């Protein structure tokens, strides 16, 4: 191990590993320090996303979706099966295999690109020195021309619901249930609560979601949030809004939960409880007091639009800095910083970050909602198209939801797209590309899409902005 590098990255989640790989590709002598220990007890790479977040949750969402299809919808297609049952341990083991494959893959990319991988804890000292402590407690001091901090985030714990082994768990614990709980409580109807609640509801849990806010998914399109709530309730999620949890106690046989709603104090007993009330930036043991990096008032590392901290040549990226806690946002920041260190001038377009909730149907959006645009006093036109009118969605027996395209009233430039439907996570990329290239709704309408595809709904919604949709009556007459 050398003790001097062009770049030291602390954290190997999507923000840190992308930064390290890009630095190495650009010819910078780079080391990446990460302290994470995987489920197998060995050092791992990929951070929350690969080990405890995006990937394992999607492995469980995809498996449970297939189970739900088999138990509830195969018959509609003429497919007869015997009794379908779920081997939860096998589902979890497969999820672990997917995680192992991908985390190992990051190790391969580090080796292939020449990134020095250091397993252990990193702490930024003054003058871009970094204290590295390996898993045996052996400390050494390294020096770097540039330092990139990417320590990520951890789940928020709330005092009324302290975690308790296997009964009251956070999102990480909810990825490893060994059986399907008969009854499951979820605190928080945010992205993580809805995704993990969906997994276990699909497998047969009776799920109650307790959400303190009165509004469901306030950041999403209002109509889509309303439709999504109904559909998720139809899938067995009992979503209670205006329900603030005040206490939770594991009793051995179950969890006694108390909460306040508009009718006063309430009680609920469930087999297990998932606490999914958000995540907070993680900076424990990261900064020496004289290192020059400052936090903002909410505990995030303070950075400018290029992710530079207050300390010269020290950058911070990913969940630990302002902006949505999303893997792709962190990776973009990591790559931007690497390229800026190498003398290029990229920037991250924070107005063009896709958001996805991987329920079924999926909810995805980019840009502003109608409600936000109205509040900002902006004029716009809207086109919508329901999947019930899509040939491909009908063929696939998956017709719930719609696409909404929003375009600026004066320029016709697309300023938002909101999708509730099958593969919304894939379709949203079309709007992201369109918005990055300043496309108008008319441009989308002039583009040929393969038939029959779900994506045709995007084109039809874009045509609808000008009152020109072919496969439905237009809201706006020409
Ligand atoms: P992290 O992934 O948290 O990685 C930080 C790494 O730094 C960790 O390995 C940590 O151990 C290490 N570290 C911290 N401090 C130090 C230190 N001092 N020294 C050494 N190492 C250190 N996002 C999406 O975009 N799509 C999704 O579908 C999605 N699903 C999610 C599902 C769940 C259940 C959860 C919990 C999260 C999900 N997320 C999703 C969010 C996503 O995981 C995060 O946005 C992403 O992991 C942030 O990346 P990061 O690199 O900033 O931090
Ligand atoms: P997110 O930040 O998107 O992961 O969502 C977390 C959700 O948890 C938010 O919608 C919060 O309103 C909700 N929440 C936080 N604390 C409580 C609580 N004590 N009881 C119920 N819901 C809560």
């Amino acid at each position: 191990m050398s003790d001097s590098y062009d770049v030291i990255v602390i954290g190997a989640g999507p923000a840190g590993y992308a930064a390290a790989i890009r630095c190495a590709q650009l010819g910078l002598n780079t080391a990446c320090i990460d302290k994470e220990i995987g489920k197998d007890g060995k050092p791992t790479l990929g951070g929350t996303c690969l080990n405890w977040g995006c990937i394992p949750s999607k492995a469980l969402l995809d498996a449970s979706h297939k189970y739900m299809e088999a138990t509830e919808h195969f018959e509609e297609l003429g497919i007869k099966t015997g009794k379908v049952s779920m081997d939860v341990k096998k589902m979890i083991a497969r999820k672990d295999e997917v995680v192992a494959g991908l985390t190992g893959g990051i190790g391969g990319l580090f080796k292939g690109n020449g990134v020095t991988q250091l397993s252990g804890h990193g702490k930024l000292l003054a003058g871009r020195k970094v204290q590295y402590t390996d898993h045996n407690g052996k400390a050494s001091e390294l020096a770097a021309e540039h330092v990139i901090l990417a320590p990520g985030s951890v789940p928020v714990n709330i005092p009324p619901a302290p975690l308790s082994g296997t009964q009251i768990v956070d999102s990480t614990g909810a990825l490893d249930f060994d059986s399907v709980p008969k009854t499951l409580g979820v605190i928080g109807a945010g992205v993580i609560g809805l995704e993990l609640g969906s997994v276990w509801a699909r497998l047969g849990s009776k799920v109650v979601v307790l959400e303190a806010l009165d509004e469901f998914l306030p950041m999403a399109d209002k109509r889509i949030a309303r439709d999504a709530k109904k559909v998720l309730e139809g899938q067995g999620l009992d979503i209670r809004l205006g329900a603030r949890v005040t206490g939770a106690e594991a009793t051995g046989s179950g969890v006694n939960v108390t909460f306040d709603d508009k009718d006063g104090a309430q009680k609920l007993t469930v087999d297990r409880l998932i606490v999914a009330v958000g995540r907070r930036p993680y900076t424990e043991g990261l900064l020496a007091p004289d290192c020059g990096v400052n936090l903002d008032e909410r505990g995030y590392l303070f950075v400018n639009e290029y992710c530079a901290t207050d300390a010269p040549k020290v950058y911070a990226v990913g969940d630990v800095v302002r902006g949505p806690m999303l893997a792709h946002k962190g990776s973009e920041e990591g790559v931007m910083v690497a390229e800026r260190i190498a003398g290029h001038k990229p920037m991250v377009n924070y107005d063009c970050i896709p958001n996805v909730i991987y329920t079924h149907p999926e909810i995805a959006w980019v840009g502003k909602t109608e409600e936000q645009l109205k509040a900002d006093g902006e004029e716009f036109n809207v086109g919508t198209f329901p999947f019930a009118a899509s040939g491909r969605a009908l063929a696939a027996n998956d017709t719930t939801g719609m696409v909404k395209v929003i375009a600026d009233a004066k320029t016709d430039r697309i300023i938002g797209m909101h999708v509730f439907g099958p593969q919304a996570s894939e379709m949203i990329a079309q709007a992201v590309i369109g918005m990055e290239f300043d496309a108008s709704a008319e441009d989308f309408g002039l583009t040929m899409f393969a038939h029959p595809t779900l994506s045709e709904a995007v084109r039809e919604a874009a045509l609808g902005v000008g009152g020109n949709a072919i496969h439905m009556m237009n809201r706006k007459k020409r």
Side-chain angles (χ1 to χ4, degrees), residues 219 324 326 328 353-357 363-367 428:
M219 63 292 198
L326 292 169
H328 42 281
I353 300 176
N355 289 269
V356 180
I357 308 176
I363 303 164
W365 71 91
V366 59
I428 202 66

PDB file of all heavy atoms in Angstrom, residues 219 324 326 328 353-357 363-367 428:
ATOM      1  N   MET A 219     -44.990  14.261  -2.813  1.00  0.00           N
ATOM      2  CA  MET A 219     -44.045  14.718  -3.834  1.00  0.00           C
ATOM      3  C   MET A 219     -44.459  14.269  -5.246  1.00  0.00           C
ATOM      4  O   MET A 219     -43.900  14.731  -6.238  1.00  0.00           O
ATOM      5  CB  MET A 219     -42.630  14.222  -3.516  1.00  0.00           C
ATOM      6  CG  MET A 219     -42.421  12.730  -3.506  1.00  0.00           C
ATOM      7  SD  MET A 219     -43.264  11.884  -2.140  1.00  0.00           S
ATOM      8  CE  MET A 219     -42.388  10.328  -2.099  1.00  0.00           C
ATOM      9  N   PRO A 324     -31.987  14.656  -3.451  1.00  0.00           N
ATOM     10  CA  PRO A 324     -32.653  13.391  -3.155  1.00  0.00           C
ATOM     11  C   PRO A 324     -31.666  12.262  -2.871  1.00  0.00           C
ATOM     12  O   PRO A 324     -30.597  12.209  -3.477  1.00  0.00           O
ATOM     13  CB  PRO A 324     -33.456  13.097  -4.431  1.00  0.00           C
ATOM     14  CG  PRO A 324     -32.838  13.922  -5.499  1.00  0.00           C
ATOM     15  CD  PRO A 324     -32.219  15.111  -4.840  1.00  0.00           C
ATOM     16  N   LEU A 326     -30.755   9.240  -3.745  1.00  0.00           N
ATOM     17  CA  LEU A 326     -30.938   8.259  -4.814  1.00  0.00           C
ATOM     18  C   LEU A 326     -29.587   7.838  -5.340  1.00  0.00           C
ATOM     19  O   LEU A 326     -28.678   8.674  -5.489  1.00  0.00           O
ATOM     20  CB  LEU A 326     -31.753   8.870  -5.960  1.00  0.00           C
ATOM     21  CG  LEU A 326     -33.222   9.170  -5.649  1.00  0.00           C
ATOM     22  CD1 LEU A 326     -33.861  10.002  -6.754  1.00  0.00           C
ATOM     23  CD2 LEU A 326     -33.994   7.870  -5.431  1.00  0.00           C
ATOM     24  N   HIS A 328     -28.586   6.926  -8.336  1.00  0.00           N
ATOM     25  CA  HIS A 328     -28.137   7.510  -9.614  1.00  0.00           C
ATOM     26  C   HIS A 328     -27.725   8.965  -9.451  1.00  0.00           C
ATOM     27  O   HIS A 328     -26.846   9.439 -10.158  1.00  0.00           O
ATOM     28  CB  HIS A 328     -29.193   7.341 -10.705  1.00  0.00           C
ATOM     29  CG  HIS A 328     -30.598   7.604 -10.269  1.00  0.00           C
ATOM     30  ND1 HIS A 328     -31.338   6.684  -9.571  1.00  0.00           N
ATOM     31  CD2 HIS A 328     -31.406   8.684 -10.420  1.00  0.00           C
ATOM     32  CE1 HIS A 328     -32.542   7.180  -9.333  1.00  0.00           C
ATOM     33  NE2 HIS A 328     -32.607   8.406  -9.830  1.00  0.00           N
ATOM     34  N   ILE A 353     -33.723  14.748 -12.455  1.00  0.00           N
ATOM     35  CA  ILE A 353     -33.423  13.495 -11.738  1.00  0.00           C
ATOM     36  C   ILE A 353     -34.672  12.615 -11.730  1.00  0.00           C
ATOM     37  O   ILE A 353     -35.710  13.027 -11.198  1.00  0.00           O
ATOM     38  CB  ILE A 353     -32.995  13.785 -10.277  1.00  0.00           C
ATOM     39  CG1 ILE A 353     -31.741  14.666 -10.259  1.00  0.00           C
ATOM     40  CG2 ILE A 353     -32.767  12.483  -9.513  1.00  0.00           C
ATOM     41  CD1 ILE A 353     -31.298  15.090  -8.861  1.00  0.00           C
ATOM     42  N   PRO A 354     -34.595  11.419 -12.327  1.00  0.00           N
ATOM     43  CA  PRO A 354     -35.783  10.558 -12.297  1.00  0.00           C
ATOM     44  C   PRO A 354     -36.018   9.964 -10.910  1.00  0.00           C
ATOM     45  O   PRO A 354     -35.069   9.617 -10.203  1.00  0.00           O
ATOM     46  CB  PRO A 354     -35.444   9.454 -13.302  1.00  0.00           C
ATOM     47  CG  PRO A 354     -33.960   9.444 -13.418  1.00  0.00           C
ATOM     48  CD  PRO A 354     -33.477  10.834 -13.090  1.00  0.00           C
ATOM     49  N   ASN A 355     -37.283   9.878 -10.524  1.00  0.00           N
ATOM     50  CA  ASN A 355     -37.690   9.271  -9.251  1.00  0.00           C
ATOM     51  C   ASN A 355     -38.549   8.058  -9.560  1.00  0.00           C
ATOM     52  O   ASN A 355     -39.441   8.156 -10.414  1.00  0.00           O
ATOM     53  CB  ASN A 355     -38.572  10.242  -8.459  1.00  0.00           C
ATOM     54  CG  ASN A 355     -37.775  11.400  -7.922  1.00  0.00           C
ATOM     55  OD1 ASN A 355     -37.271  11.352  -6.815  1.00  0.00           O
ATOM     56  ND2 ASN A 355     -37.634  12.453  -8.717  1.00  0.00           N
ATOM     57  N   VAL A 356     -38.318   6.973  -8.859  1.00  0.00           N
ATOM     58  CA  VAL A 356     -39.130   5.771  -9.103  1.00  0.00           C
ATOM     59  C   VAL A 356     -39.539   5.142  -7.777  1.00  0.00           C
ATOM     60  O   VAL A 356     -38.737   5.059  -6.850  1.00  0.00           O
ATOM     61  CB  VAL A 356     -38.343   4.715  -9.928  1.00  0.00           C
ATOM     62  CG1 VAL A 356     -39.212   3.484 -10.167  1.00  0.00           C
ATOM     63  CG2 VAL A 356     -37.859   5.286 -11.255  1.00  0.00           C
ATOM     64  N   ILE A 357     -40.787   4.697  -7.718  1.00  0.00           N
ATOM     65  CA  ILE A 357     -41.243   3.858  -6.610  1.00  0.00           C
ATOM     66  C   ILE A 357     -41.600   2.513  -7.240  1.00  0.00           C
ATOM     67  O   ILE A 357     -42.472   2.448  -8.116  1.00  0.00           O
ATOM     68  CB  ILE A 357     -42.461   4.474  -5.889  1.00  0.00           C
ATOM     69  CG1 ILE A 357     -42.151   5.933  -5.498  1.00  0.00           C
ATOM     70  CG2 ILE A 357     -42.823   3.649  -4.659  1.00  0.00           C
ATOM     71  CD1 ILE A 357     -43.324   6.671  -4.865  1.00  0.00           C
ATOM     72  N   ILE A 363     -44.376   3.706 -10.036  1.00  0.00           N
ATOM     73  CA  ILE A 363     -44.663   5.145 -10.107  1.00  0.00           C
ATOM     74  C   ILE A 363     -43.333   5.812 -10.447  1.00  0.00           C
ATOM     75  O   ILE A 363     -42.334   5.572  -9.760  1.00  0.00           O
ATOM     76  CB  ILE A 363     -45.166   5.667  -8.745  1.00  0.00           C
ATOM     77  CG1 ILE A 363     -46.408   4.875  -8.294  1.00  0.00           C
ATOM     78  CG2 ILE A 363     -45.446   7.169  -8.795  1.00  0.00           C
ATOM     79  CD1 ILE A 363     -46.732   5.038  -6.823  1.00  0.00           C
ATOM     80  N   ALA A 364     -43.307   6.614 -11.497  1.00  0.00           N
ATOM     81  CA  ALA A 364     -42.035   7.261 -11.864  1.00  0.00           C
ATOM     82  C   ALA A 364     -42.321   8.670 -12.358  1.00  0.00           C
ATOM     83  O   ALA A 364     -43.364   8.917 -12.974  1.00  0.00           O
ATOM     84  CB  ALA A 364     -41.331   6.459 -12.955  1.00  0.00           C
ATOM     85  N   TRP A 365     -41.403   9.554 -12.056  1.00  0.00           N
ATOM     86  CA  TRP A 365     -41.585  10.910 -12.569  1.00  0.00           C
ATOM     87  C   TRP A 365     -40.243  11.625 -12.711  1.00  0.00           C
ATOM     88  O   TRP A 365     -39.250  11.237 -12.104  1.00  0.00           O
ATOM     89  CB  TRP A 365     -42.541  11.714 -11.695  1.00  0.00           C
ATOM     90  CG  TRP A 365     -42.022  12.101 -10.344  1.00  0.00           C
ATOM     91  CD1 TRP A 365     -41.366  13.247 -10.014  1.00  0.00           C
ATOM     92  CD2 TRP A 365     -42.125  11.340  -9.126  1.00  0.00           C
ATOM     93  NE1 TRP A 365     -41.067  13.248  -8.670  1.00  0.00           N
ATOM     94  CE2 TRP A 365     -41.512  12.098  -8.106  1.00  0.00           C
ATOM     95  CE3 TRP A 365     -42.666  10.090  -8.796  1.00  0.00           C
ATOM     96  CZ2 TRP A 365     -41.421  11.646  -6.785  1.00  0.00           C
ATOM     97  CZ3 TRP A 365     -42.581   9.650  -7.486  1.00  0.00           C
ATOM     98  CH2 TRP A 365     -41.967  10.427  -6.503  1.00  0.00           C
ATOM     99  N   VAL A 366     -40.270  12.660 -13.532  1.00  0.00           N
ATOM    100  CA  VAL A 366     -39.129  13.565 -13.661  1.00  0.00           C
ATOM    101  C   VAL A 366     -39.701  14.956 -13.884  1.00  0.00           C
ATOM    102  O   VAL A 366     -40.754  15.105 -14.491  1.00  0.00           O
ATOM    103  CB  VAL A 366     -38.174  13.135 -14.805  1.00  0.00           C
ATOM    104  CG1 VAL A 366     -38.894  13.101 -16.156  1.00  0.00           C
ATOM    105  CG2 VAL A 366     -36.949  14.051 -14.887  1.00  0.00           C
ATOM    106  N   GLY A 367     -39.008  15.955 -13.371  1.00  0.00           N
ATOM    107  CA  GLY A 367     -39.482  17.330 -13.539  1.00  0.00           C
ATOM    108  C   GLY A 367     -40.589  17.648 -12.561  1.00  0.00           C
ATOM    109  O   GLY A 367     -40.827  16.926 -11.590  1.00  0.00           O
ATOM    110  N   ILE A 428     -39.583   6.188 -17.959  1.00  0.00           N
ATOM    111  CA  ILE A 428     -39.263   7.549 -17.527  1.00  0.00           C
ATOM    112  C   ILE A 428     -37.966   8.048 -18.179  1.00  0.00           C
ATOM    113  O   ILE A 428     -37.777   9.254 -18.381  1.00  0.00           O
ATOM    114  CB  ILE A 428     -39.204   7.649 -15.970  1.00  0.00           C
ATOM    115  CG1 ILE A 428     -39.423   9.095 -15.514  1.00  0.00           C
ATOM    116  CG2 ILE A 428     -37.920   7.084 -15.397  1.00  0.00           C
ATOM    117  CD1 ILE A 428     -40.783   9.640 -15.798  1.00  0.00           C
TER     118      ILE A 428
END
